[in-house]
Amino acid sequence: MRYFPILLTALLLAPSALAQSYPIDQGSYLLGGTASFTSQGDDDDDGERLTTFELSPSFSYFVTPGLAVGAEMFYISNEFLGRSSTSTGIGPQLAYFFGGPSSKSYPFVAAGVSYTSMKFSTTYSGFSADLSGGMVFMVARNVGLTAEAFYRTLSLSGDNDFGDDDFSTNAIGIRGAVTAFIF
């Protein structure tokens, strides 16, 4: 009797796990993310380098063929001139993929919003928004390589010894990732 809930869950999930016929079909899952490390300096031999580590996992579920709803998280660590900062964020994302069962690549557009916290000499919090577009190139039945261009805007506020401290910034860039589809 104690195995009944496990057996019931397996029986309910098994048909949906086998019902998808291609990566972006309704009921499929997408597991992805990026990781990066950069060390940046100038031509002077003074040892002043900006070092950055970023980890950004994401998870999505295809509610209809091509339309994925999910969540993204990120962790960013920076160090420069002996001072460091960390940023964390989590929030929903929405993506639409183009293509069908015989496609070998899937163009997409995506948007996400994250609650963000950054610790430097002061703790800041606020929101960031991310818009992107790119392509997933399938290299195996369930695995793809992702290339995308993105635009990110960030608006944070915090308190310091001098009162409120608000700032906003934006960035454009390109990124790549390995993506796994469960279908």
Side-chain angles (χ1 to χ4, degrees):
M1 189 66 168
R2 66 181 172 166
Y3 296 107
F4 181 74
I6 297 170
L7 180 61
L8 183 62
T9 302
L11 289 173
L12 291 173
L13 293 177
S16 67
L18 300 174
Q20 298 76 36
S21 61
Y22 61 105
I24 64 169
D25 199 3
Q26 180 177 355
S28 295
Y29 296 93
L30 182 149
L31 302 172
T34 60
S36 67
F37 173 81
T38 58
S39 180
Q40 171 181 337
D42 56 22
D43 292 338
D44 297 337
D45 193 18
D46 54 13
E48 295 178 3
R49 301 196 68 76
L50 170 62
T51 304
T52 303
F53 171 74
E54 181 175 351
L55 182 63
S56 302
S58 64
F59 172 81
S60 295
Y61 175 76
F62 285 88
V63 294
T64 64
L67 181 62
V69 176
E72 62 183 345
M73 298 173 280
F74 65 84
Y75 170 81
I76 303 170
S77 174
N78 294 298
E79 186 173 327
F80 183 66
L81 296 174
R83 300 183 76 184
S84 63
S85 70
T86 58
S87 300
T88 55
I90 186 167
Q93 69 176 3
L94 184 66
Y96 190 80
F97 291 77
F98 302 89
S102 61
S103 298
K104 300 294 183 205
S105 60
Y106 298 98
F108 69 91
V109 292
V113 176
S114 296
Y115 171 76
T116 303
S117 175
M118 183 176 96
K119 292 182 182 180
F120 190 55
S121 57
T122 298
T123 299
Y124 299 90
S125 61
F127 290 92
S128 62
D130 195 281
L131 299 173
S132 64
M135 181 85 71
V136 176
F137 302 94
M138 299 304 293
V139 295
R141 182 178 186 271
N142 293 69
V143 178
L145 297 177
T146 303
E148 66 183 302
F150 70 90
Y151 171 78
R152 179 180 293 155
T153 183
L154 175 68
S155 181
L156 300 176
S157 63
D159 293 324
N160 62 27
D161 296 337
F162 307 106
D164 290 340
D165 190 13
D166 299 341
F167 72 93
S168 61
T169 185
N170 60 62
I172 58 171
I174 57 173
R175 58 187 166 213
V178 175
T179 304
F181 293 90
I182 301 170
F183 64 98

mmCIF file of all heavy atoms in Angstrom, residues 14 112 129 152-153 159:
data_model
loop_
_atom_site.group_PDB
_atom_site.id
_atom_site.type_symbol
_atom_site.label_atom_id
_atom_site.label_comp_id
_atom_site.label_asym_id
_atom_site.label_seq_id
_atom_site.Cartn_x
_atom_site.Cartn_y
_atom_site.Cartn_z
ATOM 1 N N ALA A 14 3.720 8.591 -17.252
ATOM 2 C CA ALA A 14 4.291 7.807 -18.355
ATOM 3 C C ALA A 14 3.683 8.149 -19.711
ATOM 4 O O ALA A 14 4.421 8.369 -20.673
ATOM 5 C CB ALA A 14 4.170 6.320 -18.064
ATOM 6 N N GLY A 112 12.231 37.368 -20.492
ATOM 7 C CA GLY A 112 12.186 36.988 -19.092
ATOM 8 C C GLY A 112 12.319 38.202 -18.191
ATOM 9 O O GLY A 112 12.869 39.232 -18.593
ATOM 10 N N ALA A 129 15.167 42.706 -16.953
ATOM 11 C CA ALA A 129 14.382 42.151 -18.047
ATOM 12 C C ALA A 129 15.342 41.752 -19.150
ATOM 13 O O ALA A 129 16.354 42.415 -19.379
ATOM 14 C CB ALA A 129 13.375 43.170 -18.558
ATOM 15 N N ARG A 152 19.589 43.153 -22.217
ATOM 16 C CA ARG A 152 19.200 43.077 -20.804
ATOM 17 C C ARG A 152 19.187 44.476 -20.219
ATOM 18 O O ARG A 152 20.104 45.259 -20.425
ATOM 19 C CB ARG A 152 20.173 42.205 -20.018
ATOM 20 C CG ARG A 152 19.818 42.126 -18.524
ATOM 21 C CD ARG A 152 20.789 41.269 -17.747
ATOM 22 N NE ARG A 152 20.637 39.901 -18.177
ATOM 23 C CZ ARG A 152 21.594 38.989 -18.078
ATOM 24 N NH1 ARG A 152 22.771 39.292 -17.572
ATOM 25 N NH2 ARG A 152 21.381 37.752 -18.477
ATOM 26 N N THR A 153 18.132 44.788 -19.482
ATOM 27 C CA THR A 153 18.056 46.043 -18.756
ATOM 28 C C THR A 153 17.921 45.715 -17.274
ATOM 29 O O THR A 153 17.304 44.716 -16.908
ATOM 30 C CB THR A 153 16.891 46.922 -19.261
ATOM 31 O OG1 THR A 153 16.912 48.162 -18.564
ATOM 32 C CG2 THR A 153 15.557 46.256 -19.074
ATOM 33 N N ASP A 159 20.100 51.255 -0.144
ATOM 34 C CA ASP A 159 20.389 52.305 0.828
ATOM 35 C C ASP A 159 21.874 52.264 1.161
ATOM 36 O O ASP A 159 22.457 51.202 1.322
ATOM 37 C CB ASP A 159 19.591 52.079 2.119
ATOM 38 C CG ASP A 159 18.100 52.253 1.896
ATOM 39 O OD1 ASP A 159 17.722 53.121 1.098
ATOM 40 O OD2 ASP A 159 17.323 51.514 2.527
#
